[in-house]
Amino acid sequence: MKVRIMDTTLRDGHQSLMATRLKTEDMLPLCADLDKVGFHSLEVWGGATFDSALRFLNEDPWERLRALRRALPNSKLQMLFRGQNVLGYRHYADDVVSEFVRLSLKNGIDIIRVFDALNDMRNIESSVKAIKKWGGHAEGAIVYTVSPLHTTEHFVETARAMVEMGVDSLCIKDMAGIISPHVAFTLVSRLKQEFNLPLSMHSHYSSGMASMAYLKAVEAGVDVIDTALSPLALGTSQPCTESMLAALKGTPYDPELDTVLLAKISTELKKRKDKYPEGKNAYYGVDPHVLASHIPGGMMTNFVSQLGAHADKLPQVIEEVPRVRADLGYPPLVTPSSQIVGSQAVLNVLSGERYKMVSNEVKNYLAGHYGRAPGHIAEAFRKKIIGDTPVIDVRPADLIAPELAGARQEVAPYLEQEEDVLTYVLFPPVALKFLKERQAAKYGVDFNLAENAAKEGYPA
Ligand code: CO
């Protein structure tokens, strides 16, 4: 049976290799050809693209989505969604989740791949419900990691919970790129045996195993593999589309895509990518740490910037990560748990004493505000960090009041589209700056003279 390809170039590809900096203007010229290839889908939105477009590129992420939708009329567009974390780093209220899903679909997304960093399936319930309600394809992703708790059974039960919720397809999401070929074979075989649903395999090349894992996944019956075009493949990104096609040629799995067309797109993409310092300096090698530490590529990059002048402490931080992870009940390392574990490991090393300083995120995590930890957390440890703060065991979003109406009021003067409210809820200061500047640029004047005058000390 033919395997199908999801192209990740315009989302995970540039997110993994060039800090999500590819601008829409460098995506659009590739689209006419990308649209002709016959991919299963193209992942073009979600993940870090929303934050990055707004924060670093001064682009409206919604406008990008609409532009891509127009430029790719024949393709299915896919996005990565962090369940109750939407595209941000905390839990949002259910009204935010539902509205975000509605507008993502309205602006052009077909398939929403949803996951929860802890595989706490209560945290994707309202996302899946919203995707079904608003007519999208819900893909449930199992977050893959290696720990004493993350057995094949754990992953199968995670998948079962999603199947019971009514997802349309499943995905194995190996964000650190640590799934081995034989584990991929076993896991895909089990999931295909248990559930009568299409299954995708998503891995990263970080440890150098991903294309071997894909081949075994294909042999075990996986339906879709996620790859990126050569200029944005390998390293911490996905396996390379061109190589996977060559490897599958002459087998019953051959996706039979037009390799001449793909070569043309890759040539153009390489030219455009090399204009960016982040793109030109992208590292394509195998990260030797990841095999032992299971630390995803993105976390390593963060450590280097967090440590700054203390770069010599990096080896200690890498050793501290698995210890913090064990203390916290083995959360998989994916946004936002990767940031929670990573920053605490840095604090533990820099302060010279473990948990002398504790981030608010770790406190909230220990109080249950991100959901259920996969494993056991020692009571003494929890007490030491959060004292008698009550630990919640309900779905965290049950405690969050609706957020949309209040947010709409706060940004009312700057609204040009209903999407702006969501942009603001997700990233308040960044969004406000963006919305204000957009308005000023559009009308050539700043309407908030009174506010500015007050700030600058003039009578208002
Ligand atoms: Co990924």
Side-chain angles (χ1 to χ4, degrees):
M1 188 197 63
K2 265 194 207 183
V3 69
R4 307 204 67 195
I5 304 270
M6 172 165 92
D7 175 79
T8 66
T9 309
L10 301 184
R11 204 286 295 177
D12 214 349
H14 77 114
Q15 179 173 330
S16 298
L17 284 176
M18 50 181 292
T20 335
R21 295 299 202 274
L22 201 63
K23 294 178 191 160
T24 307
E25 64 186 46
D26 286 313
M27 298 179 175
L28 294 178
L30 310 168
C31 287
D33 286 331
L34 283 171
D35 202 36
K36 286 185 214 138
V37 174
F39 291 118
H40 165 71
S41 60
L42 288 100
E43 190 191 44
V44 297
W45 214 60
T49 62
F50 193 97
D51 187 359
S52 176
L54 198 66
R55 197 182 296 268
F56 303 116
L57 308 177
N58 198 33
E59 280 190 24
D60 179 2
W62 300 99
E63 191 45 52
R64 172 185 290 181
L65 174 55
R66 290 189 286 267
L68 289 168
R69 176 72 283 171
R70 286 191 295 270
L72 294 157
N74 303 304
S75 302
K76 286 222 183 319
L77 300 188
Q78 188 156 341
M79 74 175 288
L80 181 66
F81 196 73
R82 300 176 188 143
Q84 209 71 32
N85 295 310
V86 187
L87 301 181
Y89 308 100
R90 65 166 174 94
H91 279 231
Y92 297 93
D94 287 333
D95 66 338
V96 175
V97 171
S98 177
E99 184 69 351
F100 204 99
V101 165
R102 182 179 78 82
L103 290 175
S104 301
L105 297 170
K106 183 186 164 205
N107 282 291
I109 291 293
D110 300 290
I111 303 172
I112 300 186
R113 174 179 291 171
V114 54
F115 74 96
D116 175 66
L118 303 178
N119 284 331
D120 181 342
M121 292 297 103
R122 299 172 306 169
N123 292 337
I124 69 161
E125 268 165 24
S126 57
S127 309
V128 172
K129 222 159 86 188
I131 300 166
K132 302 309 297 173
K133 177 176 171 189
W134 302 115
H137 173 121
E139 179 162 292
I142 308 156
V143 173
Y144 179 80
T145 188
V146 174
S147 91
L149 305 159
H150 290 91
T151 58
T152 304
E153 274 328 293
H154 166 89
F155 297 124
V156 170
E157 290 320 308
T158 303
R160 194 181 311 283
M162 294 194 281
V163 172
E164 282 164 7
M165 266 176 227
V167 297
D168 302 291
S169 60
L170 292 167
C171 167
I172 301 168
K173 176 176 166 57
D174 171 28
M175 61 283 159
I178 52 178
I179 197 165
S180 71
H182 81 269
V183 170
F185 189 88
T186 309
L187 194 50
V188 169
S189 304
R190 270 301 300 279
L191 292 168
K192 287 304 289 182
Q193 212 171 53
E194 294 277 339
F195 311 109
N196 184 27
L197 283 182
L199 176 64
S200 288
M201 176 82 195
H202 178 87
S203 186
H204 288 249
Y205 210 75
S206 326
S207 77
M209 291 195 289
S211 52
M212 292 184 272
Y214 276 14
L215 187 58
K216 295 305 283 183
V218 167
E219 288 174 1
V222 86
D223 300 275
V224 180
I225 51 176
D226 293 3
T227 62
L229 287 171
S230 48
L232 288 174
L234 306 182
T236 50
S237 176
Q238 270 71 59
C240 169
T241 309
E242 293 96 316
S243 316
M244 285 310 303
L245 289 176
L248 295 170
K249 202 171 167 58
T251 73
Y253 313 112
D254 187 353
E256 294 176 12
L257 302 185
D258 182 345
T259 50
V260 177
L261 182 59
L262 289 171
K264 180 186 166 208
I265 306 170
S266 284
T267 305
E268 182 61 28
L269 172 63
K270 181 165 183 346
K271 258 197 297 194
R272 292 178 176 273
K273 172 204 80 120
D274 284 347
K275 292 189 303 186
Y276 300 76
E278 295 89 355
K280 199 158 179 53
N281 300 323
Y283 176 67
Y284 294 94
V286 167
D287 180 349
H289 292 299
V290 78
L291 285 166
S293 69
H294 304 148
I295 296 174
M299 269 181 88
M300 282 294 182
T301 326
N302 274 346
F303 287 152
V304 174
S305 71
Q306 281 178 350
L307 285 170
H310 304 280
D312 58 312
K313 298 260 178 26
L314 183 62
Q316 282 158 270
V317 171
I318 291 170
E319 276 176 34
E320 178 64 6
V321 168
R323 290 196 287 256
V324 172
R325 203 175 156 226
D327 291 338
L328 298 182
Y330 296 104
L333 299 176
V334 65
T335 303
S337 52
S338 47
Q339 284 84 345
I340 298 173
V341 171
S343 309
Q344 190 57 47
V346 170
L347 283 176
N348 284 358
V349 168
L350 288 187
S351 68
E353 185 189 328
R354 306 190 71 222
Y355 302 106
K356 185 177 170 190
M357 287 155 67
V358 181
S359 73
N360 282 332
E361 285 76 15
V362 166
K363 290 178 189 162
N364 287 335
Y365 176 94
L366 289 173
H369 292 285
Y370 288 90
R372 224 177 264 132
H376 178 71
I377 296 171
E379 244 355 274
F381 172 74
R382 199 196 301 263
K383 269 231 138 57
K384 181 185 156 184
I385 308 290
I386 60 168
D388 291 326
T389 307
V391 178
I392 65 157
D393 60 2
V394 295
R395 188 183 71 109
D398 284 339
L399 304 175
I400 307 174
E403 298 182 77
L404 277 181
R408 190 172 287 118
Q409 252 175 10
E410 283 169 40
V411 283
Y414 308 104
L415 290 186
E416 282 187 13
Q417 50 175 359
E418 47 191 343
E419 288 82 357
D420 294 338
V421 179
L422 290 162
T423 308
Y424 175 69
V425 172
L426 258 58
F427 303 108
V430 184
L432 198 57
K433 180 170 174 284
F434 175 84
L435 298 177
K436 281 184 179 180
E437 284 173 6
R438 182 183 66 187
Q439 192 180 62
K442 187 166 173 188
Y443 298 104
V445 284
D446 192 334
F447 281 119
N448 297 281
L449 296 176
E451 190 190 311
N452 290 338
K455 242 189 274 166
E456 288 157 24
Y458 297 111

